[in-house]
Amino acid sequence: MKFTLVFPDKKRKTIRLGERLGVKTLLKHLPNGTTIKHPRRDTKVCGHKRRLLGKTFNDGDILNIVYKDHTSVRRLRRDLPTSNEECMISLSKDSKRAKMPCGHAITPRSLYDYCWSELENGRTEIKCPYVLNAKAETCNSLWSFDAFTKFANMNKKEKKTIENKIFTNKMKITNQKIPDVNTMISLLHNSPKTVIYGISCPLRRACPRCYSIIEHTGGCRSMRCGYPGCGFVFCFRCLSQGALCSYNCKTVPTQFALL
């Protein structure tokens, strides 16, 4: 069965599911705490193990997604900068808008939904979608993981899910077999230590771009990933991209801390 999902911000998404699957399966494709407005009845459809898609909807139905009252409000943290401009996605001025690092405004709810929309489309990075001119050129500024998760007010569980999705998308782009996450965590967190220019550092690191496991066998901190098609250059100590690290860094972050 084919469905067109229409979200509160008017964005649409088309999915296909078997008619003998439960409605609960359909709800797994949606943000937590959402319901579906029935296309022919004045009711909202919630997940139920006995409710089958084929007995609830028709093929080709357009389904309006409804956020529950307690989940529709995703509040902006008080310590973050706000903007008086309208939200770049919902065009709303009713809720507080975050002022993103690039200077453009967005509500935490719209930011959360936009991030998931991008990741569901296979993206591995979240960039600003603000439309600059009539030619539909966008800002396209890259938002860091810390920035968009903080401005969307994501909790620890949501951050973990987002990071897992980014990891999966990167594996698909580089045509690598998706490894068992627990195995990767074990390899990285149980790594032996080595000393790089006087600072203790794990002997094993994962390439920040393709997540290939790399061991430091000697030489300087600058590392080039040897996986075919990658070649990403980064600092083995602080994990920053090569051009962004002064190589005077002293921080040694733990990889996959959220997983």
Side-chain angles (χ1 to χ4, degrees):
M1 299 180 71
K2 178 181 176 182
F3 301 110
T4 300
L5 308 180
V6 182
F7 293 88
D9 59 2
K10 306 304 179 185
K11 285 196 171 184
R12 293 182 172 229
K13 177 182 178 181
T14 301
I15 63 173
R16 294 180 183 273
L17 294 170
E19 63 179 11
R20 296 194 62 80
L21 294 174
V23 174
K24 196 171 183 180
T25 304
L26 174 59
L27 289 170
K28 288 181 180 179
H29 291 258
L30 306 174
N32 292 332
T34 58
T35 54
I36 302 169
K37 186 176 180 181
H38 197 283
R40 287 169 297 282
R41 305 179 202 143
D42 190 21
T43 58
K44 294 178 182 178
V45 181
C46 300
H48 192 282
K49 62 181 179 181
R50 296 181 181 177
R51 189 188 293 271
L52 298 180
L53 290 172
K55 293 184 178 181
T56 309
F57 304 111
N58 295 332
D59 185 44
D61 272 348
I62 297 177
L63 309 179
N64 288 290
I65 309 305
V66 180
Y67 294 127
K68 291 182 181 178
D69 292 339
H70 69 278
T71 57
S72 61
V73 178
R74 185 171 284 267
R75 301 187 185 280
L76 183 66
R77 285 172 42 174
R78 293 182 180 180
D79 58 331
L80 297 177
T82 59
S83 174
N84 293 325
E85 300 295 323
E86 64 184 16
C87 173
M88 69 177 85
I89 292 179
S90 66
L91 305 181
S92 170
K93 285 190 175 182
D94 296 332
S95 304
K96 281 188 177 182
R97 280 85 63 202
K99 186 176 181 180
M100 298 302 290
C102 57
H104 299 125
I106 190 170
T107 63
R109 177 80 255 176
S110 293
L111 177 57
Y112 179 82
D113 291 340
Y114 170 69
C115 289
W116 263 113
S117 174
E118 290 291 279
L119 294 176
E120 287 294 333
N121 287 327
R123 305 285 192 275
T124 59
E125 297 176 330
I126 305 299
K127 296 182 179 181
C128 177
Y130 182 81
V131 179
L132 298 173
N133 49 43
K135 295 181 180 179
E137 295 175 340
T138 58
C139 170
N140 216 33
S141 295
L142 178 63
W143 292 334
S144 68
F145 180 85
D146 287 341
F148 68 75
T149 54
K150 184 185 296 184
F151 280 89
N153 201 7
M154 296 187 192
N155 57 37
K156 187 174 181 179
K157 183 178 179 180
E158 290 168 339
K159 289 180 181 180
K160 174 182 176 180
T161 306
I162 289 282
E163 192 171 31
N164 276 334
K165 185 63 176 175
I166 292 174
F167 168 70
T168 302
N169 288 350
K170 285 186 175 182
M171 293 293 100
K172 289 180 179 178
I173 287 176
T174 55
N175 294 319
Q176 294 189 71
K177 182 180 178 182
I178 298 174
D180 179 67
V181 175
N182 291 327
T183 301
M184 290 199 69
I185 293 174
S186 178
L187 284 171
L188 296 172
H189 286 201
N190 297 323
S191 170
K193 297 291 185 179
T194 186
V195 176
I196 304 177
Y197 287 83
I199 302 292
S200 179
C201 182
L203 183 68
R204 302 188 196 106
R205 290 295 213 180
C207 169
R209 173 177 288 172
C210 73
Y211 289 173
S212 298
I213 301 295
I214 300 172
E215 288 193 2
H216 190 278
T217 57
C220 67
R221 283 161 279 180
S222 181
M223 181 69 65
R224 180 182 295 275
C225 178
Y227 188 83
C230 182
F232 187 70
V233 178
F234 65 99
C235 174
F236 200 82
R237 202 155 73 183
C238 70
L239 301 175
S240 298
Q241 187 173 353
L244 301 178
C245 180
S246 64
Y247 297 113
N248 292 322
C249 58
K250 295 182 180 179
T251 58
V252 184
T254 301
Q255 286 186 286
F256 305 113
L258 297 172
L259 298 180

